[in-house]
Amino acid sequence: KAGVTQTPRYLIKTRGQQVTLSCSPISGHRSVSWYQQTPGQGLQFLFEYFSETQRNKGNFPGRFSGRQFSNSRSEMNVSTLELGDSALYLCASGTNSYEQYFGPGTRLTVT
Amino acid sequence: DQQVKQNSPSLSVQEGRISILNCDYTNSMFDYFLWYKKYPAEGPTFLISISSIKDKNEDGRFTVFLNKSAKHLSLHIVPSQPGDSAVYFCAAMNTGTASKLTFGTGTRLQVTL
């Protein structure tokens, strides 16, 4: 089975712009979660989607949003980018068990 | 408030010896725990997990121990191999709000020859 894929792998944006990141889960996985990893805060949960519905949400501002499509693929959007949004954004997929399988991440740099 | 803590930022172990990575948690609602390994520029790789109804789970060279009363878990790697050198993250969840993993800050393991 192919693993979780994320595109793009690297991205450079300017403050104030918006960005969309994409995640394709492992085939058959209906849950997709997003995490932000920064040196200062570690890995932090953003939100989780299951069957196109947001099922769980972390403590991030409304500038961070996401959606899931009927094929389970998910996108994450960040609007009005700030310097502090520079991070590795990780997507993870899962089934009904609790293990989550991560993609390689998208490295976002905001200048 | 750091609900999952890994107090050792780094650990160095000789090849063939046992590596013990520790993790403490404060939230008594956590009932499922996972360990992930992460190489630079890659996403975390799932290693092993344990439910709060167990105190031990073993998978090959990896064993996780859970002490619920102390809110402490540990990952034992025996024998340690150079390829085990990576950052190890402990994660916890409340299965009632499944899929929201709370991660520790990680321990960098270096296995030396």
Side-chain angles (χ1 to χ4, degrees):
Chain A
K1 262 189 186 177
V4 177
T5 59
Q6 292 186 246
T7 56
R9 291 294 310 277
Y10 302 92
L11 204 49
I12 299 175
K13 289 285 188 178
T14 305
R15 270 182 302 175
Q17 288 186 315
Q18 68 93 26
V19 67
T20 300
L21 312 181
S22 182
C23 171
S24 291
I26 292 171
S27 177
H29 286 192
R30 294 166 65 190
S31 166
V32 173
S33 298
W34 288 88
Y35 293 82
Q36 181 197 64
Q37 185 182 22
T38 59
Q41 298 295 321
L43 272 151
Q44 294 198 299
F45 175 79
L46 280 154
F47 31 65
E48 184 228 354
Y49 286 86
F50 186 88
S51 293
E52 302 179 65
T53 301
Q54 188 180 86
R55 190 162 71 169
N56 232 321
K57 190 177 189 308
N59 297 323
F60 278 82
R63 299 186 297 108
F64 292 81
S65 64
R67 59 177 175 168
Q68 186 181 32
F69 301 96
S70 57
N71 61 359
S72 293
R73 190 177 70 84
S74 177
E75 287 182 348
M76 190 192 98
N77 186 77
V78 188
S79 63
T80 320
L81 283 165
E82 301 176 0
L83 293 179
D85 297 333
S86 295
L88 180 67
Y89 289 88
L90 291 158
C91 166
S93 75
T95 59
N96 290 327
S97 64
Y98 303 121
E99 289 79 24
Q100 295 179 34
Y101 298 88
F102 284 82
T106 294
R107 171 72 62 185
L108 172 65
T109 301
V110 182
T111 62
Chain B
D1 175 32
Q2 192 70 30
Q3 297 186 65
V4 178
K5 299 177 185 178
Q6 293 177 258
N7 291 318
S8 298
S10 63
L11 176 68
S12 183
V13 172
Q14 273 191 321
E15 182 182 11
R17 301 285 184 109
I18 182 172
S19 294
I20 300 176
L21 297 97
N22 294 304
C23 178
D24 297 294
Y25 62 97
T26 57
N27 189 338
S28 57
M29 297 298 292
F30 289 147
D31 59 359
Y32 200 82
F33 305 90
L34 306 90
W35 283 94
Y36 285 85
K37 177 169 77 171
K38 189 178 186 300
Y39 294 117
E42 294 183 14
T45 301
F46 169 72
L47 278 176
I48 191 169
S49 61
I50 187 167
S51 165
S52 60
I53 62 174
K54 293 185 172 182
D55 55 18
K56 177 183 174 181
N57 189 26
E58 194 171 351
D59 184 0
R61 297 187 298 115
F62 302 92
T63 302
V64 56
F65 296 91
L66 175 63
N67 182 333
K68 279 179 60 181
S69 60
K71 293 192 177 68
H72 176 84
L73 64 156
S74 61
L75 174 68
H76 293 210
I77 306 173
V78 184
S80 300
Q81 299 173 354
D84 295 329
S85 297
V87 177
Y88 288 78
F89 289 94
C90 166
M93 70 160 57
N94 170 0
T95 54
T97 57
S99 297
K100 180 179 177 178
L101 288 171
T102 300
F103 281 86
T105 50
T107 296
R108 181 177 301 279
L109 173 66
Q110 179 74 39
V111 179
T112 58
L113 298 174

